[in-house]
């Protein structure tokens, strides 16, 4: 009985040991299987994209990095450009420009989305090819720019607020909103766009310069400063202070803040006033004769005037350029080429102290140099009976010649050519000083019926001295 019990216990123990040994193998096997499954899952997760994962809107779910690259390389870009919801430009369909050099970046994205267990969160990763997409970078962008330019032509442009001068008052215009696109901003946004099939841009419009902007404030200050500007305008020995606030009533500003005078009429009127007060052209000269009497002689060839039109442009430019002083430079007169004479002369009522005086009544001339009498002689002037009088007026010596041949047609239509030793004309019609060796009658009344054809005949014995004391442009006063 005892032996049987011991044997039963022994057999039971053996069975328990065998079961325990078998169970360890089973558990070990299960563990190994689980480890293999986890390892396989981990390897898969590490080498494949999770579900609902995209790169540049291209689905790469379950793909390896190489598979994703291949998918990207074969994906089509429609290259449609939208501004808001509006299709602006439909480009050519092209394939994405990914290459093998982009594989490392795709692997980085793959690694970044790894999770031990699969996830189903939707994520769209963004990646630009390492090599530029020439179509998008060059052609498509240029075409988009031209399209936007064309579209803007049919859209209302914004109107900037701006400052201008009107009737002497500084005015600020109102700005007006427009509908034109801000092309530069849109192209900048284009450059920052994601590399997806469609390109969506946010509408950005050109904005007008507002009334309270710094630009407008600066424009106001510029015009205020302009109105305080004075140009000192010198005419002969007189200086006229021309104030912008008095002479400029209408003006505008350029983009570079330069003032443009729109209406120079007030400047022109002021210069006409100065011209009337100071010019001598065509006016009566006050003249003190050899005897001390004061007479009035009409200016003829001698005299000057301002070219008001040209001087107006000169002063206008001086105001616009901010010049502080300027001298008159456009002078004209009755010279052969419309030149004016006497502008530089202010003494002796504008005639100066070097001149020739011719008295028709006295039939005599007096030549002064620097205020001193240097020559005086009797003469014979133009024949009065045939109305060939020497013309009264203030003239000037045009030129000098020695010897010279006088040619012309006499009052009875006979042509003549006469040799003289000295010739100094003072009228454009051909009157002047010359010797007259043929003349026999030098009486003081000879001019009435036996005078010259209009010239001033000088005795041959005096003509050389007269000639030597006459200067070109020297005034000749005939009365």
């Amino acid at each position: 009985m005892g032996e049987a019990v011991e044997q039963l216990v022994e057999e039971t123990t053996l069975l328990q040991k065998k079961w325990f040994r078998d169970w360890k193998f089973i558990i070990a096997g299960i563990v190994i299987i689980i480890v293999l499954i986890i390892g396989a899952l981990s390897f898969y997760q590490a080498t494949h994209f999770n579900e609902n994962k995209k790169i540049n809107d291209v689905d790469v779910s379950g793909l390896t990095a190489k598979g994703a690259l291949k998918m990207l390389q074969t994906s089509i870009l429609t290259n449609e450009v939208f501004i808001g919801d509006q299709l602006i430009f439909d480009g050519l369909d092209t394939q994405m420009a990914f290459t093998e050099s982009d594989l490392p970046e795709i692997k980085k994205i793959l690694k970044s989305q790894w999770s031990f267990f699969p996830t189903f969160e939707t994520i769209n990763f963004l990646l630009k090819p390492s090599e530029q997409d020439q179509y998008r970078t060059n052609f498509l962008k240029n075409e988009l720019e031209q399209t936007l330019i064309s579209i803007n032509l049919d859209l209302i442009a914004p109107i900037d607020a701006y400052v201008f001068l009107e009737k002497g008052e500084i005015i600020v215009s109102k700005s007006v909103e427009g509908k034109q696109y801000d092309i530069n901003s849109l192209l900048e946004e284009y450059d920052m766009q994601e590399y997806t099939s469609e390109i969506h841009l946010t509408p950005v419009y050109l904005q007008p310069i507002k009334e309270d902007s710094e630009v407008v404030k600066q424009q106001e200050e510029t015009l205020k400063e302009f109105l305080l500007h004075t140009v000192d305008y010198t005419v002969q020995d007189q200086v006229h202070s021309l104030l912008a606030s008095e002479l400029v009533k209408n003006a505008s500003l350029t983009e570079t803040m330069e003032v443009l005078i729109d209406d120079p009429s007030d400047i022109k009127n002021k210069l006409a006033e100065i011209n009337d007060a100071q010019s001598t052209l065509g006016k009566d000269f006050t003249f003190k004769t050899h005897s001390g009497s004061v007479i009035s002689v009409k200016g003829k060839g001698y005299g000057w005037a301002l070219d008001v039109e040209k001087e107006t442009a000169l002063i206008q430019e001086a105001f616009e350029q901010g010049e502080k002083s300027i001298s008159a430079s456009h002078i004209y007169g009755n010279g052969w080429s419309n030149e004016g004479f006497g502008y530089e002369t202010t003494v002796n009522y504008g005639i100066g102290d070097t001149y020739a005086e011719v008295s028709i009544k006295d039939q005599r001339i007096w030549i002064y140099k620097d205020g001193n009498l240097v020559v005086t002689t009797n003469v014979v002037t133009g024949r009065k009976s045939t109305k060939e009088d020497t013309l009264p007026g203030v003239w000037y010596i045009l030129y000098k010649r020695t010897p010279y041949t006088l040619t012309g047609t006499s009052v009875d239509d006979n042509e003549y050519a006469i040799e003289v030793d000295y010739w100094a004309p003072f009228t454009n019609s051909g009157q002047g000083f010359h010797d007259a060796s043929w003349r026999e009658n030098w009486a003081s009344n000879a001019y009435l019926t036996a005078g010259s054809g209009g010239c001033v005949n000088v005795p041959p014995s005096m003509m050389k001295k007269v000639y030597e004391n006459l200067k070109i442009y020297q005034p000749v006063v005939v009365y």
Side-chain angles (χ1 to χ4, degrees):
M1 182 69 177
E3 292 179 0
V5 172
E6 290 177 3
Q7 185 178 356
L8 180 60
V9 172
E10 185 178 346
E11 289 177 358
T12 301
T13 300
L14 291 173
L15 287 172
Q16 287 177 344
K17 288 182 178 180
K18 181 180 180 184
W19 179 85
F20 182 73
R21 185 176 60 250
D22 292 341
W23 181 248
K24 285 199 304 181
F25 283 118
I26 292 172
I27 292 175
I30 292 172
V31 170
I32 291 171
I33 291 171
I34 292 173
V35 170
L36 290 174
I37 291 172
I38 292 173
L41 179 61
S42 177
F43 177 78
Y44 183 85
Q45 286 297 103
T47 58
H48 292 75
F49 282 94
N50 280 307
E51 292 297 317
N52 298 328
K53 301 301 181 285
K54 295 181 179 181
I55 297 178
N56 299 350
D57 286 336
V58 176
D59 190 1
V60 294
S61 301
L63 298 177
T64 63
K66 287 188 175 182
L69 175 61
K70 185 174 181 181
M71 179 63 75
L72 291 172
Q73 289 176 320
T74 57
S75 294
I76 299 299
L77 295 171
T78 61
N79 293 311
E80 294 176 333
V81 183
F82 293 82
I83 296 182
D85 296 329
Q86 183 181 2
L87 177 64
I88 296 299
F89 185 77
D90 186 2
L92 299 175
D93 290 351
T94 60
Q95 286 185 329
M96 287 190 174
F98 286 100
T99 64
E100 289 293 330
S101 59
D102 296 303
L103 185 58
E105 290 299 321
I106 295 174
K107 287 181 178 179
K108 287 182 181 180
I109 294 174
L110 175 62
K111 184 177 180 181
S112 70
Q113 62 88 59
W114 176 86
S115 62
F116 187 80
F117 293 105
T119 62
F120 300 91
E121 179 186 3
T122 300
I123 300 177
N124 184 30
F125 297 98
L126 301 173
L127 179 64
K128 283 194 174 183
S130 57
E131 296 181 7
Q132 283 190 343
D133 185 329
Q134 295 300 319
Y135 176 78
R136 282 207 170 189
T137 303
N138 297 325
F139 180 81
L140 183 58
K141 183 177 180 180
N142 291 336
E143 287 297 310
L144 173 61
E145 182 177 9
Q146 294 306 313
T147 299
L148 289 172
I149 292 173
S150 178
I151 291 173
N152 269 356
L153 293 177
D154 297 324
L155 299 177
I156 299 173
I159 300 176
D160 296 333
Y162 63 97
V163 181
F164 59 96
L165 189 68
E166 186 177 86
K167 297 180 180 179
E169 183 180 355
I170 296 176
I171 306 295
V172 180
S173 72
K174 299 293 184 182
S175 63
V176 180
E177 299 287 341
K179 293 295 184 181
Q180 287 186 338
Y181 290 114
D182 186 338
I183 296 176
N184 290 333
S185 295
L186 288 172
L187 292 178
E188 287 177 6
E189 187 182 357
Y190 173 90
D191 289 334
M192 296 184 292
Q193 279 296 299
E194 301 156 353
Y195 194 64
T196 55
S197 183
E198 295 178 355
I199 299 171
H200 290 269
L201 304 175
T202 304
V204 181
Y205 300 99
L206 289 173
Q207 295 299 310
I209 296 174
K210 303 292 186 180
E211 293 86 335
D212 59 352
S213 68
E214 287 300 320
V215 172
V216 170
K217 291 178 182 178
Q218 187 178 352
Q219 288 176 345
E220 287 185 275
E221 288 302 315
T222 298
L223 278 183
K224 287 178 182 178
E225 291 177 6
F226 172 79
L227 289 176
L228 295 175
H229 186 62
T230 299
V231 174
D232 288 333
Y233 178 53
T234 302
V235 180
Q236 286 191 310
D237 58 350
Q238 295 188 39
V239 178
H240 305 269
S241 292
L242 308 180
L243 188 60
S245 60
E246 295 178 354
L247 300 180
V248 181
K249 302 302 181 184
N250 299 283
S252 55
L253 291 168
T254 67
E255 292 182 359
T256 55
M257 294 293 181
E258 295 176 345
V259 178
L260 294 179
I261 298 173
D262 299 327
D263 179 12
S265 58
D266 286 337
I267 297 175
K268 183 178 179 180
N269 292 338
K270 181 63 177 179
L271 294 185
E273 179 184 314
I274 293 172
N275 187 52
D276 289 341
Q278 288 188 242
S279 66
T280 59
L281 185 65
K283 294 182 179 179
D284 291 338
F285 283 84
T286 298
F287 179 70
K288 188 175 183 179
T289 69
H290 67 284
S291 63
S293 61
V294 178
I295 63 175
S296 180
V297 185
K298 187 76 171 179
K300 293 292 186 176
Y302 184 80
W304 63 270
L306 297 172
D307 187 325
V308 173
E309 289 290 341
K310 291 181 179 179
E311 289 295 289
T312 297
L314 190 71
I315 297 300
Q316 177 176 342
E317 184 180 1
F319 273 123
E320 292 175 344
Q321 298 297 322
E323 297 180 39
K324 294 184 178 180
S325 61
I326 195 168
S327 297
S329 60
H330 298 99
I331 307 298
Y332 75 97
N334 289 330
W336 281 354
S337 301
N338 294 320
E339 64 271 32
F341 295 97
Y343 178 77
E344 303 297 335
T345 304
T346 57
V347 299
N348 193 22
Y349 306 103
I351 292 176
D353 52 14
T354 297
Y355 57 91
E357 177 183 349
V358 180
S359 172
I360 295 175
K361 178 182 177 182
D362 294 336
Q363 290 291 285
R364 194 166 190 84
I365 65 171
W366 297 263
I367 300 177
Y368 289 84
K369 184 175 183 181
D370 299 327
N372 299 312
L373 179 64
V374 292
V375 180
T376 183
T377 182
N378 64 297
V379 294
V380 175
T381 60
R383 185 164 50 237
K384 192 172 185 60
S385 61
T386 55
K387 297 182 180 181
E388 296 176 88
D389 307 76
T390 300
L391 299 174
V394 182
W395 309 89
Y396 68 93
I397 299 298
L398 300 173
Y399 60 89
K400 295 168 63 178
R401 297 289 187 272
T402 179
Y404 193 76
T405 301
L406 300 175
T407 59
T409 303
S410 64
V411 70
D412 53 5
D413 292 331
N414 291 321
E415 293 184 356
Y416 63 85
I418 302 174
E419 296 289 336
V420 296
D421 291 329
Y422 302 97
W423 169 236
F426 53 80
T427 74
N428 290 348
S429 61
Q431 295 183 356
F433 299 101
H434 65 78
D435 50 292
S437 58
W438 59 89
R439 174 171 292 281
E440 296 179 356
N441 184 359
W442 290 94
S444 60
N445 63 353
Y447 77 101
L448 295 174
T449 58
S452 71
C455 289
V456 178
N457 288 175
V458 179
S461 61
M462 293 296 296
M463 187 59 208
K464 183 176 186 296
K465 189 173 183 181
V466 167
Y467 185 85
E468 290 174 343
N469 283 280
L470 291 174
K471 297 192 308 180
I472 297 175
Y473 307 136
Q474 174 180 320
V476 177
V477 184
V478 181
Y479 62 92

